[in-house]
Amino acid sequence: MRLLAFVPYFCSDFLTHNLVSMTWKQVFTSSVGRKLTMGLTGIFLILFLVVHAGLNACIWANDGGVMFNKAAHFMGATIVIRILEIGLFVFIFIHIIQGLILEASNRSKRGTPYAVNYGNRGSKWYSRSMGLLGTLVLLFLILHWIHFWIPSRFTGTPEVTYDNKTYHDLFTLMKEIFAELWVVIVYVLGCISLGYHLAHGFQSAFRSLGVHNKKYNNMLTSLGYGFAVIVPLAFAMMPVSMYLGWVS
Amino acid sequence: MEHYNMNLTLKVWRQKNQSDRGQFETYKVSNISSEMSFLEMFDVLNEELIQEGKDPIAFDHDCREGICGMCSMYIDGKPHGPWQENTTCQLHMRAFKDGDTITVEPWRANAFPVLKDLVTDRTAFDRIIQAGGFISVNTGNAVDANALPIEKAKADDAFAAAACIGCGACVAACKNSSALLFVGAKVAHLGLLPQGEPERKERVLNMVAQMDKEGFGACTSTGACEATCPKGISISNINRLNKEYLVASLVSEK
């Protein structure tokens, strides 16, 4: 015991030589820093979902897509939004790459697997499957980019003229794409994956940023569940209502 | 509670040493009392193995009172077995029925290599503590401690975190083999008290750096650790560590 009493003194000496020096690289490649990145980019993507869902909800104005096309035009033509779009892509790629690195690294930490699995005690299946859910969302996203983003930026979309001004007719493009049943089903499945991804990701993002107060954690968990249901449901209803002809 | 005897089939992980591949062996034990502890059942089995001239099963244990953190079996898919907030040594055979088959594995994590059978090397935790889980100055005796005003809520949180016995069940339960519940408990326990507060920044940075070096995974907030912890350490300690880490790295000099 007498010997043990010297351990702290030795360690404190060690500490004074290594006093609080963490470069940004060390911070962002540490296990805690990687989560921080996932949380920060995740919250940004959550904010984007709100904007995206709000804007697309214009299809339900039932005005032949005028409001929706004009809103989409505003998003495409405003310099601030275009700069934010670059930021969005950077954040999406950081989120994807960091997520894949984390998933691979975490999976490598248990060389010999258990014969009997731990199961659901204390954790939800979707909390344990964020890598899989994220990959499903990514696959959906690639299809989604091919359907809408690439035509509107590069290969061209149908066009429409309101008050002598030409607009991309994304509304008609949506109607064409969502006329196919398999596309609608894939989009709905994509939205379900997104919903489960958010059910864990929303509250977990704030935990990674260090929110530890019980009242906020409880509030954010409830808010997260609400968000994870409402937003993907709103998205899923878009192809469904297009397919079923609920919008004109 | 009514007493009964039972016959059981045990599937136990046997591994000669760190380099051995290891495999499951099946054993039958009979007339096990429901009043026995799980480790006493292993004692009975080991007595039989010794009498048969076989190598007894190696397993970690010390106080057998649920407070030292030495025992470490992964029983039927759960660290420390099926009961909540309980250690293996305090698990009693009344948790099982006659005829049950029980699978017993060691903690599985690269940072906790198996030394023999069910014994793992958990000194990675010691090295994490040596990296910052201490207070560098003499904090005095109980009288000095009582002379310092500490908010009740903080004292309670620190005490709840200090209940961690460092058994490693959190790592064993975590799908990522993350040690963050353990490290979070130490960071919260010391950082919340005035004696530990001055070193909180270097503590969290150095402990996390050592944790990563030992080969533990990253936390993904699944909550499995909290549910399996024999001392009921709250996952909010991990969130607190995240905050401490964020603040410490933001104000770091370099």
Side-chain angles (χ1 to χ4, degrees):
Chain A
M1 281 316 288
R2 185 157 282 260
L3 201 76
L4 270 177
F6 285 100
V7 170
Y9 294 103
F10 168 74
C11 291
S12 75
D13 188 45
F14 166 80
L15 262 177
T16 50
H17 295 293
N18 289 282
L19 198 70
V20 202
S21 59
M22 289 291 280
T23 62
W24 287 118
K25 190 174 171 247
Q26 283 170 308
V27 171
F28 286 108
T29 52
S30 75
S31 60
V32 179
R34 283 185 197 278
K35 294 186 341 163
L36 197 69
T37 319
M38 292 305 283
L40 275 173
T41 50
I43 289 170
F44 184 83
L45 297 177
I46 283 168
L47 289 172
F48 161 73
L49 286 180
V50 177
V51 176
H52 188 13
L55 196 118
N56 281 34
C58 293
I59 61 163
W60 289 310
N62 267 338
D63 57 356
V66 179
M67 189 197 267
F68 171 65
N69 281 338
K70 285 189 172 175
H73 178 79
F74 167 78
M75 296 302 278
T78 312
I79 182 74
V80 179
I81 311 276
R82 291 304 291 271
I83 292 168
L84 280 176
E85 188 186 29
I86 298 168
L88 175 68
F89 270 93
V90 171
F91 273 35
I92 284 179
F93 283 117
I94 292 176
H95 196 80
I96 292 167
I97 293 162
Q98 192 72 276
L100 290 172
I101 292 174
L102 257 179
E103 181 74 13
S105 153
N106 286 340
R107 276 171 186 257
S108 74
K109 303 298 185 193
R110 180 166 289 142
T112 315
Y114 286 114
V116 185
N117 279 318
Y118 180 78
N120 291 325
R121 184 159 80 165
S123 69
K124 304 280 196 304
W125 71 266
Y126 51 83
S127 294
R128 303 193 304 273
S129 315
M130 288 300 274
L132 173 73
L133 289 167
T135 309
L136 290 175
V137 172
L138 174 62
L139 292 175
F140 160 73
L141 210 55
I142 291 169
L143 184 72
H144 187 51
W145 282 331
I146 293 169
H147 277 157
F148 296 102
W149 186 74
I150 291 173
S152 76
R153 286 279 175 280
F154 305 106
T155 54
T157 62
E159 288 189 341
V160 68
T161 308
Y162 306 129
D163 309 326
N164 298 323
K165 211 173 155 196
T166 314
Y167 292 86
H168 284 309
D169 192 0
L170 287 166
F171 187 77
T172 304
L173 186 65
M174 270 177 96
K175 287 207 112 170
E176 283 169 11
I177 286 167
F178 296 139
E180 297 258 15
L181 183 61
W182 75 267
V183 176
V184 176
I185 291 169
V186 168
Y187 269 64
V188 170
L189 291 176
C191 291
I192 291 170
S193 307
L194 178 67
Y196 279 112
H197 198 71
L198 285 168
H200 175 78
F202 190 102
Q203 49 103 4
S204 183
F206 290 96
R207 288 177 184 276
S208 298
L209 293 178
V211 179
H212 61 77
N213 319 50
K214 281 202 177 66
K215 65 174 175 185
Y216 291 124
N217 281 139
N218 292 342
M219 196 177 84
L220 287 164
T221 305
S222 309
L223 199 66
Y225 284 138
F227 191 90
V229 173
I230 293 165
V231 173
L233 188 69
F235 278 122
M237 285 318 287
M238 289 165 195
V240 169
S241 44
M242 283 272 179
Y243 182 76
L244 297 176
W246 292 347
V247 282
S248 56
Chain B
M1 194 169 284
E2 200 189 340
H3 170 259
Y4 58 97
N5 283 340
M6 64 194 99
N7 298 327
L8 299 163
T9 307
L10 296 174
K11 273 181 70 187
V12 183
W13 184 259
R14 299 303 310 262
Q15 188 173 332
K16 283 196 184 68
N17 51 49
Q18 220 171 320
S19 52
D20 182 30
R21 276 180 60 91
Q23 74 289 315
F24 281 102
E25 296 272 351
T26 306
Y27 301 96
K28 299 267 184 198
V29 283
S30 46
N31 282 324
I32 296 297
S33 159
S34 61
E35 313 253 309
M36 270 184 193
S37 77
F38 198 77
L39 297 185
E40 282 166 344
M41 184 261 297
F42 263 80
D43 293 337
V44 169
L45 172 60
N46 274 346
E47 288 288 340
E48 287 170 13
L49 289 175
I50 290 165
Q51 277 177 8
E52 290 167 22
K54 290 179 185 159
D55 190 24
I57 300 160
F59 61 90
D60 266 328
H61 64 106
D62 191 5
C63 75
R64 297 206 180 192
E65 289 178 334
I67 54 173
C68 77
M70 246 350 248
C71 55
S72 61
M73 291 174 187
Y74 191 88
I75 302 155
D76 277 344
K78 292 184 173 69
H80 294 303
W83 286 353
Q84 304 272 318
E85 292 196 23
N86 188 65
T87 54
T88 299
C89 65
Q90 291 296 300
L91 174 66
H92 283 70
M93 295 313 294
R94 58 180 175 272
F96 301 94
K97 299 188 305 289
D98 186 33
D100 277 358
T101 299
I102 309 170
T103 308
V104 187
E105 299 172 75
W107 279 185
R108 295 283 189 206
N110 295 355
F112 289 162
V114 175
L115 295 176
K116 186 178 195 303
D117 301 337
L118 304 171
V119 178
T120 54
D121 178 2
R122 286 171 284 172
T123 51
F125 270 13
D126 297 345
R127 290 187 292 273
I128 294 174
I129 292 293
Q130 283 162 8
F134 51 80
I135 293 165
S136 296
V137 294
N138 196 331
T139 56
N141 57 30
V143 180
D144 301 302
N146 287 332
L148 286 166
I150 302 170
E151 288 166 53
K152 178 79 168 75
K154 277 194 175 179
D156 286 351
D157 282 349
F159 194 80
C164 169
I165 51 176
C167 65
C170 44
V171 177
C174 176
K175 77 171 185 70
N176 307 324
S177 311
S178 170
L180 216 56
L181 191 68
F182 166 75
V183 183
K186 302 304 170 193
V187 163
H189 154 212
L190 296 169
L192 278 166
L193 298 175
Q195 295 92 338
E197 200 276 338
E199 289 169 289
R200 64 197 288 185
K201 295 194 189 80
E202 54 261 51
R203 177 178 302 119
V204 66
L205 294 178
N206 289 332
M207 287 182 86
V208 168
Q210 187 64 35
M211 175 184 83
D212 288 349
K213 212 155 105 186
E214 297 292 347
F216 293 102
C219 167
T220 53
S221 311
T222 64
C225 54
E226 179 185 51
T228 209
C229 177
K231 296 295 155 186
I233 304 293
S234 166
I235 197 170
S236 68
N237 288 300
I238 294 183
N239 309 344
R240 191 183 284 279
L241 177 142
N242 291 337
K243 183 191 81 175
E244 296 273 332
Y245 190 84
L246 177 62
V247 172
S249 51
L250 280 176
V251 301
S252 148
E253 291 288 342
K254 278 188 216 164

